[in-house]
Every structure is written in structure tokens, then in C-alpha cells.
Amino acid sequence: MAASILDGNKIASEIKAEVATEVKAMAAAGTRPSLAVILAGHNPASEIYVRGKVKSSEEVGIYSEQLTPPDTISTEELLEMVIKLNQRDEIDGILVQLPLPSQVDSKKILMAVDPAKDVDGFHPVNVGFLSTQRPGLVPCTPAGILEILRRSNVPIAGQQAVVVGRSDIVGKPTAMLLINGNATVTVCHSKTRELPGVCRRADILVAAIGRAGMVTRDFVKPGATVIDVGMNKVTDRAEFDRLFAGNARREETFRSKGSTLVGDVHPEVAEVAGKLTPVPGGVGPLTIAMLMANTVRAAKLRRGSRVPAFAGERS
Ligand code: GUN
């Protein structure tokens, strides 16, 4: 039986509607949550992401501000920008879009963001809060993955979860959230031996590797829930045929645009998995929805309000 497809756009809309309701209630009490986004230079992908973040802020009623320094900016100049945002009391969330220009010391910049305003959840203080189950700010994509599981009634406690990929932004925090949700968690990476066999043990398989269609049907236990975090552009004909041979709709996109977007999961997995997130329209939309949720959460935490626990987190 074909996997049921988990609709990320629908879940993201639900979350954004909930955030909009909270923002309205806060506005009625005299506060407007606000987000500052720093976009340094002209990375085309980053420009698209940031546009989406600003547009969603407007939709849910969050005040947003964009700072666009040139790609020649120095670490010291960028640090100065971050420090000024830290000092502005009316700014609740600060997001520094990555990647930064190569001459900038990214770690130094991310360390400078006030942890209370760190809506990306990248600061070591928030990483520590997550790993010790204290209320803080959780990275948006991992938080979104947990929301997909929770809102699709996928059980977590006691389940075998396998996360492929150990990045600081996705793999590690996702593993931590699943541990906090009482799953039994295995984290795999490029040195993992017998990768397909390890993945086949998973009730929940999270693919966050960054390699087009690497997770094939032999990685997946029949009926498993598969979460695809990949976003890969396929331009090579042979690679396209390996992934989408016989798919007329994809063929048309590929012919007209010269490329198509594919996750880390091979489309054939839909024949084996129980539940599957599509690409596009799966995890992607959740990242922005959770940024909106984190901005409201930061605004509340900074004002000493009680906040509900996020997925897997103790309040
Ligand atoms: N670049 C790609 N993804 C992200 C993200 O989640 N946050 C930031 N700040 N930059 C990114």
C-alpha cells in the first residue's frame, strides 16, 4: 500500500493560524512581537528564504525588520549590528541568515546573539537548554519535524528513531528532541557501517544528509514514518532518470526548467513507508512556521510569561 503523504503546507498553515491568534491577543495587551533578520550579501537562495520569512511575519502580524549589509562586511561590523539589536528592547527575535560571507567568523556572530532573542536556537546556551530539557528556543526545522509527527499522530515514546545526518542545525537537535520524547535514538553519518540495515530498524526515519534520493527502499522498514529534510536540485539527466523515470509531471518540470527539486529520500520509498513527507511541501514550510512560533515564544519568555512546552520539551 502506498504511504500516506504528510502535508507540510497544511500543518504549517495551522501553526501560523495559531500564532496569528496569539499575536492578536498580545497586541490587545499592548505588545507586538518583532523579528529582525540580517541578510548579508547576495546569496540567491538566502534571499528567497528571507523573503519568505518577512512575508510570513506580515501574515501573522509580527513586526519584521530586514538589515542588508553588503557582502564585504567584516566580522566586527556585523558584531556591532547584532549588539545594537540585542540592546533594542522592542526587538524580540534576531535571525542571522546563513551562510555568511566567507570572511566573517560565523561562530563569533552566532555567539553574540542574545540567547533570549535567538529564534534560530543556534546559541550554545539554547543548545544546552534543549539537551537538559529546560524551556528555551529550539531550532526551527527540528521543532517543525516534531510538530509534523505530533500533529500526524505518530507515536514517539518507545519507538526506534534513526536520524541520518549529524549537523548542528538539523541532525543533532532533532535527535535531542526525539530523545526528550522518549524515543530510542540512533544517529548515523558518513562513517556509519551497514547504513541501510541500521535505517531498516527505524519506526521513524529522519533523512537530513543533503544527498539527492540517497535513502532507497532497502533503507525502510515497511510501514515506517519517513521524514525527508533534504532539498536538492537535480540537473543531471542520468540522476533524474534514476529518481523519476516514468514520472510525466516531473519530466515536464525538468524539461522546461532544466532542474527539479528532490529530497534525500528516493520516490520509490512511497511504496514501502507508512507515512512520508514530500519534497517540496513537507518539512520546508514548517521551518518558517516554527520561526514565527519561536518569535512569539521569545517575546513571551522575555516578558516573563509562562509558555507551553514545545514538542518533547518540559515547560
Ligand atoms: N540558512 C539555511 N537554513 C537556515 C536556518 O534555518 N537559519 C538561518 N539563520 N540560516 C539558514
Side-chain angles (χ1 to χ4, degrees):
M1 211 175 68
S4 68
I5 301 299
L6 304 176
D7 186 345
N9 284 313
K10 182 165 169 274
I11 297 171
S13 296
E14 285 165 15
I15 292 170
K16 284 198 271 186
E18 290 164 18
V19 170
T21 304
E22 284 190 70
V23 170
K24 242 188 210 152
M26 290 172 84
T31 348
R32 186 172 187 199
S34 64
L35 172 67
V37 180
I38 300 180
L39 172 62
H42 290 285
N43 179 313
S46 293
E47 284 174 348
I48 293 170
Y49 287 138
V50 167
R51 218 177 296 142
K53 290 168 185 180
V54 170
K55 184 169 158 271
S56 286
S57 301
E58 281 166 13
E59 281 166 15
V60 301
I62 289 173
Y63 168 80
S64 78
E65 207 171 286
Q66 228 190 113
L67 292 86
T68 52
D71 53 17
T72 51
I73 192 164
S74 67
T75 302
E76 287 64 36
E77 288 165 327
L78 200 46
L79 268 179
E80 193 57 37
M81 284 180 110
V82 169
I83 290 164
K84 281 204 176 118
L85 292 171
N86 285 345
Q87 289 166 346
R88 284 174 56 193
D89 192 49
E90 79 280 14
I91 296 291
D92 295 303
I94 302 171
L95 183 142
V96 184
Q97 186 66 27
L98 301 176
L100 287 169
S102 56
Q103 76 280 5
V104 174
D105 183 342
S106 300
K107 286 211 162 131
K108 214 167 170 176
I109 300 298
L110 297 182
M111 276 287 277
V113 174
D114 179 348
K117 299 187 178 188
D118 171 35
V119 284
D120 255 330
F122 293 166
H123 193 286
V125 164
N126 281 315
V127 176
F129 284 162
L130 172 58
S131 79
T132 53
Q133 289 189 276
R134 290 176 167 86
L137 294 162
V138 175
C140 302
T141 302
I145 292 170
L146 269 283
E147 286 293 328
I148 292 177
L149 295 173
R150 199 166 67 75
R151 289 170 191 252
S152 308
N153 299 313
V154 176
I156 296 171
Q159 300 300 104
Q160 292 283 347
V162 174
V163 179
V164 192
R166 57 175 157 184
S167 69
D168 292 341
I169 294 180
V170 181
K172 283 186 212 166
T174 301
M176 199 57 79
L177 285 168
L178 289 164
I179 291 171
N180 292 351
N182 297 316
T184 301
V185 181
T186 304
V187 181
C188 301
H189 44 75
S190 54
K191 300 281 192 295
T192 299
R193 280 182 276 131
E194 305 290 345
L195 182 63
V198 176
C199 291
R200 248 189 337 264
R201 295 207 297 260
D203 302 304
I204 299 167
L205 179 60
V206 180
I209 321 136
R211 303 236 335 240
M214 197 187 99
V215 173
T216 47
R217 63 185 310 145
D218 54 316
F219 285 58
V220 179
K221 177 165 79 175
T225 296
V226 180
I227 305 290
D228 189 353
V229 192
M231 282 273 235
N232 311 289
K233 199 168 158 179
V234 173
T235 52
D236 179 66
R237 181 77 227 185
E239 181 73 340
F240 177 85
D241 287 341
R242 180 181 79 82
L243 295 161
F244 296 111
N247 182 328
R249 195 174 50 83
R250 288 282 188 164
E251 180 70 44
E252 201 183 306
T253 323
F254 191 69
R255 271 180 200 271
S256 64
K257 296 209 324 204
S259 68
T260 190
L261 199 62
V262 65
D264 292 347
V265 175
H266 194 293
E268 70 185 14
V269 166
E271 295 159 28
V272 189
K275 293 180 172 147
L276 175 64
T277 61
V279 174
V283 173
L286 266 296
T287 300
I288 290 185
M290 298 317 288
L291 175 65
M292 301 298 107
N294 267 354
T295 304
V296 168
R297 187 174 170 84
K300 288 184 172 174
L301 282 168
R302 289 182 65 234
R303 289 167 181 80
S305 306
R306 286 177 62 86
V307 289
F310 254 137
E313 226 188 343
R314 200 161 52 201
S315 64

